[in-house]
Amino acid sequence: MKISSKNFLKKKVLVDLSRRDFLKGGAALPLLALGASQSASAAESKLTAGISKKHAQIVIVGAGSGGIDAAARLRRAAPNAEITVIAPNTIHLYQSGQIFVAAGLYTQTDNRKNSSDLIPDKVKWIQDLVTQIDPKNHQVQTEKNGAVKYDVLVVATGAVHDFSAIEGLKTEAFGQSGLASVYLNDTLKGEAVGGEQTRQWLSQIAEAARTSRQQVLFSIPEGDVKAQNASLDVLLLGLDIFRGKGPGGGADVYDNVAITVAVGNEYLIDSKPFDRVLRKLLAKEKNLTLRFGTRLSAVDTQAQKATLTGAKETEELKYDFLHVAPSLKAPEAVAQSELALKEGARKGFVEVDPVTLQHKRYPNVFALGDVAALPAKSGAATRDMAIVIQDNVANYLEGRRLGTRYTGYTAVPVKTRYGREMLIEYDRKGPNPTFPLDPNVPRWIWWEMDLHLIRWAYFELMMRGLL
C-alpha cells in the first residue's frame, strides 16, 4: 500500500516549519543524528519560493533516498506535473543502518522497506532499469518498457561500489577468509549482508586475539568516499569490541590486536578542522597506525595478503581481518551518456552546477545524491539537494531564476565508541553545526538519537519529503 501524503498531513505533521525550528522543538530534536541534522543555510530557500502550476512530464531515474525524496517534494512543488519514477528495485534499503548491524544493534530486516510503500501517491512507478539516457532527444531508454520522454529529468541513480577496482577482489569472497565490508549490498535485490559479515568477523578476531596476535587492516580509497564515517565507525566500534566493551562483553584483548589504516587520501574526512580532531583521537590508540596516501591496490584473499601502494613504495601486508571501503563509479547508463563529466577525478558522474544542481549543458536535467559530480556523498547531503531540486525544477518550469542554492552541506556522524557519537557538520565555508554545542565533543545524545530515532525519521519523514 502506498503512503498517502494527504493522510499523513491529516496527522498534523507541520511540513512548513523551518527545519532548524523543527529540530529545536523537543519532539523533533532526535532528527539531528546520522546526517539528519540541519543547517538553516543548507538550502537557502523554502518550498513557497518554487511552486509551479505548469503541466509537464518529470522523470526521476532512481528510487533510492534521493529519488524518493525528490519525488515527494516535486509532487507538492509541481502539483500539475506528471511525475514518473523509473527504478527496478522492489526493496528500499536504509544503508546507514548497516553500521548498527555491524555493531550488533540492528538486524538486516530493520533496514528494509518495500519501495511501493515509499513511492508517493500520484507518482507513476515504472519498475525497470534505465539503459540509456538521451538528453538531446529528451528521453531515456529502459530495458523492458522502451523509450520514456521527459520535459525535465532528475537523475538520482546513486553510485556503484567499485570493488573490482582492487585487483584480485571479488564480491563473492566477502564473508570468508577475514574479508568484509559494511558497504556490501545489492540495491537491485534489496540485500545488504555487509553489516552482518563485519559483525561476525569483528567477533571472531576478538575471540582469536585471546590466544594469538591479530593483524587488522582497514582500507579507505582515494577520491570521494560514500559515507565518510562508515569505515571510522567500524574501526572505532571494533576497538571497543576488542576492549571487551561491545554489547556482548568479553575479554580485553586490545593489546593483542595490531591495526593498520590505509587511507588513499591525505585526510580522513574532507574538512580540515574536523580531520585534525579525528587524527588526534586516533593518535591515542597505541596499536593503530595511520598511513595516508596509501591505497589497497590488490588482495590475495586465499593467502590473506593485501598489497598497499603509496606514492613511493608498494608492500604486502598479511592480515587476519580486512575491512574494505570501495571507490565509487557512476552507473553505466550515466557514465556513457552526454550528461557525464568527461575528464577528471569525477569522470562519469553527472556534470551539474554545484549550487543549483542543474546540468551545465542540458538545462532541463538535474541531478542529486551520489551520482552528481560533487564531493559530498551522504544522506544529509542528498536530503539538502532534494530541497534544491524541489525549488529549482519548479523555478525552471516557470522560467524563473534558479534561486535555491546548495551550499555543500553534509554531515558525518562518527561513532567514537559504543554510546558516544561526534556530530560533524560542514559546508563549503567550513564547520556549520546546527546546535550551539561543541561539535568536536562526542556526546551520548547524538548516539541515542542515531540508534533509536533517525531510522524512523528517514522512512517516515525524509522519504515523504518532510525533513
Side-chain angles (χ1 to χ4, degrees), residues 141-334:
Q141 190 72 30
T142 64
E143 192 172 66
K144 301 175 182 176
N145 289 271
V148 179
K149 291 279 190 179
Y150 62 80
D151 298 307
V152 173
L153 176 67
V154 177
V155 185
T157 59
V160 177
H161 293 152
D162 191 12
F163 290 106
S164 64
I166 301 167
E167 183 183 345
L169 183 59
K170 299 183 183 300
T171 54
E172 54 265 29
F174 283 102
Q176 307 172 50
S177 303
L179 183 65
S181 174
V182 77
Y183 290 92
L184 186 65
N185 61 34
D186 187 329
T187 55
L188 183 60
K189 295 180 180 179
E191 298 175 350
V193 298
E196 180 62 24
Q197 290 177 354
T198 301
R199 183 195 66 77
Q200 291 174 357
W201 275 108
L202 288 173
S203 297
Q204 289 185 39
I205 292 298
E207 181 62 29
R210 289 172 176 262
T211 57
S212 62
R213 189 163 180 82
Q214 300 294 297
Q215 300 290 333
V216 172
L217 173 62
F218 284 80
S219 75
I220 302 174
E222 184 180 12
D224 297 333
V225 179
K226 180 179 175 69
Q228 295 179 88
N229 58 292
S231 290
L232 295 173
D233 288 348
V234 175
L235 168 62
L236 291 165
L237 295 177
L239 292 174
D240 250 16
I241 291 172
F242 301 149
R243 290 185 170 104
K245 296 180 179 180
D252 183 350
V253 297
Y254 174 81
D255 289 338
N256 226 15
V257 180
I259 300 173
T260 300
V261 184
V263 186
N265 296 312
E266 295 296 336
Y267 52 81
L268 290 167
I269 63 171
D270 61 348
S271 167
K272 288 184 179 180
F274 292 123
D275 185 59
R276 287 194 294 268
V277 173
L278 292 173
R279 287 181 186 232
K280 288 180 181 179
L281 177 68
L282 293 179
K284 298 176 182 177
E285 301 295 340
K286 62 181 182 180
N287 294 341
L288 189 148
T289 302
L290 280 173
R291 299 181 56 174
F292 291 98
T294 303
R295 62 185 177 87
L296 176 65
S297 56
V299 62
D300 182 337
T301 56
Q302 291 187 338
Q304 293 186 222
K305 290 182 180 179
T307 301
L308 303 181
T309 300
K312 297 181 179 180
E313 61 181 7
T314 296
E315 69 168 298
E316 278 193 348
L317 185 68
K318 181 78 173 175
Y319 64 84
D320 295 295
F321 172 57
L322 168 60
H323 182 273
V324 180
S327 56
L328 300 174
K329 64 180 181 180
E332 185 175 357
V334 174

Side-chain angles (χ1 to χ4, degrees), residues 382-438:
T382 297
R383 185 195 55 253
D384 269 31
M385 291 182 198
I387 294 172
V388 176
I389 294 292
Q390 158 193 278
D391 284 355
N392 282 347
V393 167
N395 285 334
Y396 169 79
L397 289 172
E398 293 293 326
R400 298 189 294 248
R401 182 178 68 88
L402 306 188
T404 306
R405 301 169 58 84
Y406 173 57
T407 66
Y409 173 83
T410 191
V412 184
V414 178
K415 297 157 188 64
T416 57
R417 65 180 176 87
Y418 279 88
R420 291 293 184 274
E421 185 165 302
M422 184 186 300
L423 185 59
I424 294 172
E425 301 172 273
Y426 59 96
D427 56 24
R428 296 187 189 102
K429 295 180 180 179
N432 187 8
T434 299
F435 283 79
L437 298 171
D438 185 350

Side-chain angles (χ1 to χ4, degrees), residues 15-35:
V15 299
D16 290 328
L17 282 175
S18 136
R19 290 176 302 153
R20 174 163 282 193
D21 291 340
F22 184 63
L23 285 168
K24 286 182 177 178
L29 183 64
L31 305 182
L32 193 57
L34 190 58

